[in-house]
Amino acid sequence: MTDFTLEDFATRAEALRQEIRKTVHGQDAVINQLLVSVFSRGHCLLEGPPGTAKTLLARSFAAAMALDFGRIQFTPDLMPGDVLGANLFDFGANAFRLVKGPVFTDILLADEINRAPPKTQAALLQAMQEGIVTIDGQDLSLGQHFHVIATQNPIEQQGTYPLPEAQNDRFLFKIVLNFPDRDAELEILRRHAAQSLNKSGQTDRIEPVMSGEQLTAAQGLIDSIRLDEKILTYIVDLVRETRSDPDIREGASTRAADAIAGAVRVTAALDGRDYAIPDDVRDLFLPSLRHRIVLGPSAEIEGRTADDVLTSVLGRIEVPR
């Protein structure tokens, strides 16, 4: 689709939101951030308590975009080969045969990623960064639409392995899911009360509204959007401020600044604009950096969160006009 316009993109994105809302209600901000991550070719880390529709959200995205969906339940005994695959000896053919792991898909749900040991978590690093997997010296492509949605539960910490900073930095966003408000929660119960108790077909009602070809065309359209020098300067100043803040022990990297800049282009396109505004940067600042900074001792003693400190950083840097 060479004639894919900004208006077409904004219309298609709204159709995606409407389809996903058929199964996930009361999480509009989360849905929008996931849209940004998919179109900017970034990966997402979803953090929230059990029962906040993290898995359903990932499945709904894949269904609405007609993409292949794969799921890995991370456990303490999961090995890298269980994720990537391996060459296994086929006694019938008297030869080794490549058996691809579940990582070979379009939308990969890495469920409870912090329950797997570090070496298994690290097996995803190359896949997330380069879109390829190396098995016995052979490089295998994961396809142009490969996207990881990882989940973790912030409540249960026993038997978990926190993601190292290097792997956190591979995620474009860390999206925090909270419980919906009372009205949204009541609406969820109303919907489920009128449906079968069998939850296995929850995404069957979702109609695909974007094909892989259209996704590629949309990403090409976003690539054509250029950011004003003032916006780039604003992003750099915000990121550099995290490196000098006394409440932050380790600030955000240049990769983080570049990731924000890419995501801002998507946000502008979702709004039907071929230019970015400072509010685009401000809206993405917290989900882009909350997992990329390390708080200092004073902030931790005072009980401040990464969002608290980053909000303070936002307030100190002058907004361009």
Side-chain angles (χ1 to χ4, degrees):
M1 291 185 63
T2 57
D3 57 346
F4 206 71
T5 66
L6 277 171
E7 184 178 354
D8 294 331
F9 175 65
T11 301
R12 194 72 61 175
E14 182 55 33
L16 282 170
R17 294 188 189 98
Q18 294 298 336
E19 290 300 317
I20 295 165
R21 287 176 188 141
K22 289 181 179 179
T23 56
V24 180
H25 185 68
Q27 299 286 5
D28 286 355
V30 172
I31 292 173
N32 203 59
Q33 289 172 10
L34 268 177
L35 277 176
V36 173
S37 73
V38 169
F39 288 115
S40 59
R41 306 173 181 90
H43 307 287
C44 269
L45 180 63
L46 298 182
E47 183 176 279
T52 47
K54 297 187 292 294
T55 300
L56 181 59
L57 186 60
R59 287 186 179 277
S60 300
F61 255 86
M65 304 184 84
L67 297 174
D68 292 334
F69 177 81
R71 178 177 180 270
I72 303 174
Q73 180 64 53
F74 279 72
T75 57
D77 60 347
L78 193 72
M79 301 298 291
D82 299 326
V83 175
L84 305 180
N87 281 309
L88 302 179
F89 191 76
D90 186 339
F91 287 94
N94 197 33
F96 282 95
R97 178 171 56 90
L98 175 65
V99 178
K100 292 183 177 181
V103 73
F104 288 89
T105 187
D106 292 324
I107 302 290
L108 174 68
L109 176 64
D111 214 357
E112 296 189 286
I113 190 172
N114 57 332
R115 289 199 176 279
K119 65 179 179 180
T120 304
Q121 294 173 359
L124 275 179
L125 277 176
Q126 182 189 26
M128 292 170 63
Q129 183 66 23
E130 303 173 19
I132 62 173
V133 165
T134 303
I135 300 177
D136 291 343
Q138 181 182 2
D139 290 340
L140 305 170
S141 173
L142 293 169
Q144 60 180 333
H145 299 141
F146 177 69
H147 181 79
V148 174
I149 300 176
T151 72
Q152 60 182 12
N153 178 354
I155 299 174
E156 297 178 5
Q157 298 301 322
Q158 186 173 0
T160 62
Y161 304 85
L163 292 175
E165 283 75 11
Q167 186 152 2
N168 270 323
D169 203 33
R170 263 60 174 191
F171 289 102
L172 173 64
F173 293 149
K174 177 181 177 180
I175 302 175
V176 177
L177 278 81
N178 296 310
F179 292 114
D181 60 35
R182 182 181 182 277
D183 290 341
E185 202 160 12
L186 184 58
E187 177 61 23
I188 292 170
L189 265 63
R190 287 197 188 104
R191 291 183 181 187
H192 291 176
Q195 299 170 4
S196 167
L197 291 177
N198 182 8
K199 304 297 185 184
S200 61
Q202 281 181 299
T203 59
D204 291 348
R205 295 178 293 119
I206 292 181
E207 297 291 334
V209 293
M210 178 173 277
S211 65
E213 180 187 12
Q214 290 168 330
L215 173 57
T216 301
Q219 290 173 333
L221 176 71
I222 291 161
D223 289 343
S224 68
I225 296 176
R226 297 294 177 260
L227 299 183
D228 182 85
E229 187 72 18
K230 291 182 179 179
I231 296 295
L232 294 175
T233 301
Y234 186 43
I235 294 171
V236 168
D237 289 345
L238 284 169
V239 170
R240 290 180 67 86
E241 183 68 14
T242 66
R243 301 172 195 162
S244 58
D245 191 301
D247 287 328
I248 300 176
R249 179 162 57 89
E250 295 291 340
S253 66
T254 305
R255 180 189 289 157
D258 192 46
I260 295 173
V264 162
R265 293 159 76 180
V266 179
T267 301
L270 286 171
D271 204 30
R273 292 180 274 110
D274 61 357
Y275 60 90
I277 59 177
D279 281 350
D280 296 333
V281 179
R282 297 177 67 84
D283 289 344
L284 298 178
F285 188 64
L286 266 62
S288 297
L289 294 192
R290 59 166 60 109
H291 57 300
R292 286 183 159 111
I293 64 170
V294 179
L295 295 182
S298 60
E300 292 181 341
I301 291 172
E302 294 170 5
R304 302 182 71 195
T305 65
D307 283 13
D308 295 333
V309 175
L310 290 172
T311 301
S312 176
V313 170
L314 269 177
R316 290 200 301 271
I317 302 299
E318 183 178 358
V319 180
R321 302 187 184 280

